[in-house]
Amino acid sequence: MEISFTSPLPTMKQPKPDAEKTFQQIGLLNAVEDTYGGVKVDVEESMDCDVYVHLLRASTTQWRKQGKKGVWIKLPIQLANLVEPTVKEGFRYHHAESDYLMLVQWIPETPDTLPANASHTVGIGAFVVNDTGEHKRSNIDDATCLQGEDICKAAIREVKEETDIDTEFVEILAFSQTHQGFCRKSDLFFVCMLRPLSSDINKQDSEIEAAQWMPIEEYIAQPYNQKHESFKNIAKICLSKSKRNYTGFSAVPMASSSGKKTSYSYFNKLQAENEKSS
């Protein structure tokens, strides 16, 4: 009887797949670098959660390899199904708007220096003063600045929307800060003086109950202003301004550091001129 033996084939240790090739096979999330050594991801296309997790893991590995720091992921409201898997990968909520949620993660083994969410809201109060001979009249309005809106432009816009009066900015008269415990925010409130370019009031019924011109003294004497200290102080400032005994802060347009956008700085012009001449 003839017996034959077959030697087993030698086994070869399989090489680990090259990381770069793995990234190319799995793919990466589309990201753009920010100016602080991190990346920003704006997820726009819907995808399966499992596919998304593979992309996120591969991308995070790549970003760590590249020495990136903070990772910002913006998920639109229609992709809310991706929020949970993103959190499970170590991301946390940063802030939310009506149509998206922003999540962040600090990936290096160094102290986390990602900035906190904006902690303030900015409101404006418009004090419109018309000096016709000796008859000074006033109108008051208040509202919240829109996102990215300058204080002086917000005051002009709100008066136009709610009273249909055209105005021009004069200066900031006062500033106050209040704290809102529920939302953990601070409200910054700026009282702006405006000069009217028209006088006929056509009030916005959906926003305000009444609008009228009245003498400054009559405005100051209103029970509401006398009852609330902050409004009482603002009324006194407006009266002092009408008598030319008070100087606020004027808007000075300046180019931003990038040179792409004009912003405003607010200065006490009288003080600046005195310092310049001395």
Side-chain angles (χ1 to χ4, degrees), residues 214-239:
M214 65 178 64
I216 294 178
E217 292 77 9
E218 183 179 334
Y219 166 73
I220 294 173
Q222 291 184 95
Y224 186 89
N225 291 330
Q226 294 299 314
K227 181 179 178 181
H228 296 84
E229 185 177 7
S230 60
F231 282 88
K232 184 177 181 179
N233 290 334
I234 290 172
K236 288 180 179 179
I237 290 174
C238 294
L239 179 60

Side-chain angles (χ1 to χ4, degrees), residues 68-86:
K68 301 303 179 186
K69 298 177 181 178
V71 179
W72 302 73
I73 295 183
K74 182 180 179 182
L75 295 177
I77 193 170
Q78 62 267 27
L79 299 182
N81 63 307
L82 301 181
V83 173
E84 182 178 357
T86 305

Side-chain angles (χ1 to χ4, degrees), residues 132-144:
T132 305
E134 295 184 354
H135 299 283
K136 298 181 176 68
R137 300 176 181 270
S138 62
N139 182 45
I140 194 73
D141 183 33
D142 66 272
T144 302

